[in-house]
């Protein structure tokens, strides 16, 4: 009997989570978070979104910020996946595709940062 009760408790928890947010909404939130995280380092002008504005930031610093924000976005997505249900195993191909997708999401911010005309 305890096993059936445990299964029922898991189903009730999933129903509560499903009532909060379904898969499509979660995917949309993850995409928006990833897009913002990919573009914030290029648009903000601040180091890690704090401190004074610096227009002459080093490219290496931008890339480090970009990777940190990417890890944060991935962590948020992983937490949301845990709340929806079972976390699926991810192989190397998933991480390569994720990196390419995140790089693609960063294109608008990088273009705005490096190709816009600055007043002299």
């Amino acid at each position: 009997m305890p096993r059936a009760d445990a299964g029922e408790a898991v189903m009730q928890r999933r129903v509560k989570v499903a009532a909060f947010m379904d898969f499509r909404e979660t995917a949309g939130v993850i995409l928006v978070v990833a897009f913002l995280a990919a573009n914030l380092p290029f648009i903000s002008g601040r180091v890690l979104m704090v401190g004074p504005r610096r227009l002459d930031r080093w490219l290496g610093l931008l890339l480090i910020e970009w990777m940190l924000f990417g890890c944060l976005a991935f962590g948020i997505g992983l937490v949301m996946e845990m709340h929806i249900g079972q976390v699926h195993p991810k192989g190397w191909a998933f991480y390569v595709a994720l990196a390419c997708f995140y790089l693609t999401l960063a294109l608008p911010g990088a273009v705005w940062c490096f190709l816009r005309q600055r007043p002299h």
Side-chain angles (χ1 to χ4, degrees):
M1 274 311 204
R3 186 163 175 88
D5 292 335
E8 188 175 319
V10 169
M11 284 303 285
Q12 287 176 353
R13 185 177 65 95
R14 284 187 182 168
V15 168
K16 286 180 186 176
V17 171
F20 173 68
M21 185 179 292
D22 83 350
F23 178 73
R24 285 186 219 156
E25 293 170 344
T26 303
V29 168
I30 291 170
L31 286 174
V32 168
V33 166
F35 180 78
L36 290 175
N39 288 296
L40 277 177
F42 300 108
I43 294 173
S44 74
R46 300 177 190 271
V47 177
L48 293 175
M49 299 298 296
V50 294
R53 291 183 61 90
R54 293 182 51 189
L55 297 177
D56 58 342
R57 290 192 299 169
W58 177 52
L59 179 63
L61 181 62
L62 282 172
L63 293 176
I64 290 170
E65 282 184 273
W66 180 75
M67 286 188 287
L68 286 174
F69 282 129
C71 291
L72 179 70
F74 177 72
I76 290 171
L78 194 61
V79 167
M80 293 181 91
E81 184 182 6
M82 281 187 231
H83 283 292
I84 288 176
Q86 180 181 0
V87 177
H88 299 284
K90 296 163 183 59
W92 65 269
F94 171 80
Y95 294 107
V96 170
L98 181 68
C100 291
F101 181 65
Y102 191 65
L103 184 64
T104 304
L105 286 177
L107 184 65
V111 166
W112 187 80
C113 179
F114 295 116
L115 298 181
R116 69 184 161 110
Q117 295 291 323
R118 294 189 179 122
H120 297 287

